[in-house]
Amino acid sequence: MAADSSHETSPLLPTDEQDESIQNDDTMGSNLLWKTGAVFGATAVGLGAFGAHGLKKHISDPNKLANWSTAAQYQLVHSVALLVASNNPVAGVFFTAGMTMFSGSLYALTLDNERFRFMGPVTPLGGLCLMAGWLALAFGKRGAATRWPRF
């Protein structure tokens, strides 16, 4: 005797509606990481330009200026990495945290080393997060470079 499947409430295979819901959740996270990467990239360019032009009027120490330049370069490179990682939320979170801690602490220490001395240990933690982001890309979900988020 065959079972009547017309009364099933939960199919074994996902429906189109369920597929769309899952895809929308992925797209929302991808869009957030994409936009975060774009904003971080724009601010990296602005902060790099400020360091090359405006900061020199206030800071003459070449080591401090080099630290600022390093912060801007790492932020810009990892902004692009965040765009690539927009479909890998683990890598995206690590890149975002890493840029914030690594570059942010270098910016703060360059502007006022005494006031922000407590941020010294934050810099290497940020570097570890950046490395973890790259490892998450290496060993995580693939396909981020071919599936750009929809806006």
Side-chain angles (χ1 to χ4, degrees):
M1 186 172 191
D4 181 14
S5 63
S6 64
H7 299 297
E8 287 184 18
T9 58
S10 178
L12 293 176
L13 297 174
T15 64
D16 290 340
E17 187 177 291
Q18 289 169 327
D19 281 343
E20 189 176 304
S21 173
I22 291 168
Q23 188 175 1
N24 285 341
D25 288 346
D26 287 346
T27 303
M28 287 189 318
S30 296
N31 284 342
L32 178 61
L33 290 174
W34 182 268
K35 289 177 182 181
T36 302
V39 169
F40 268 80
T43 57
V45 172
L47 289 168
F50 173 70
H53 303 288
L55 196 59
K56 288 181 179 180
K57 297 174 186 175
H58 304 284
I59 295 176
S60 59
D61 182 351
N63 290 328
K64 286 185 175 185
L65 294 172
N67 285 345
W68 187 278
S69 178
T70 297
Q73 288 173 351
Y74 271 65
Q75 183 179 341
L76 186 58
V77 165
H78 289 91
S79 296
V80 174
L82 184 54
L83 296 176
V84 170
S86 64
N87 286 319
N88 183 326
V90 173
V93 167
F94 276 125
F95 285 138
T96 302
M99 283 187 284
T100 302
M101 290 189 290
F102 182 83
S103 295
S105 64
L106 286 178
Y107 293 137
L109 289 166
T110 299
L111 292 174
D112 192 341
N113 192 29
E114 293 303 314
R115 182 175 171 193
F116 296 109
R117 182 173 300 280
F118 70 93
M119 294 188 79
V122 173
T123 308
L125 291 175
L128 289 173
C129 284
L130 294 174
M131 291 189 301
W134 287 107
L135 292 172
L137 276 182
F139 298 107
K141 184 172 141 183
R142 293 189 59 188
T146 58
R147 292 186 338 201
W148 298 105
R150 289 184 265 160
F151 300 100

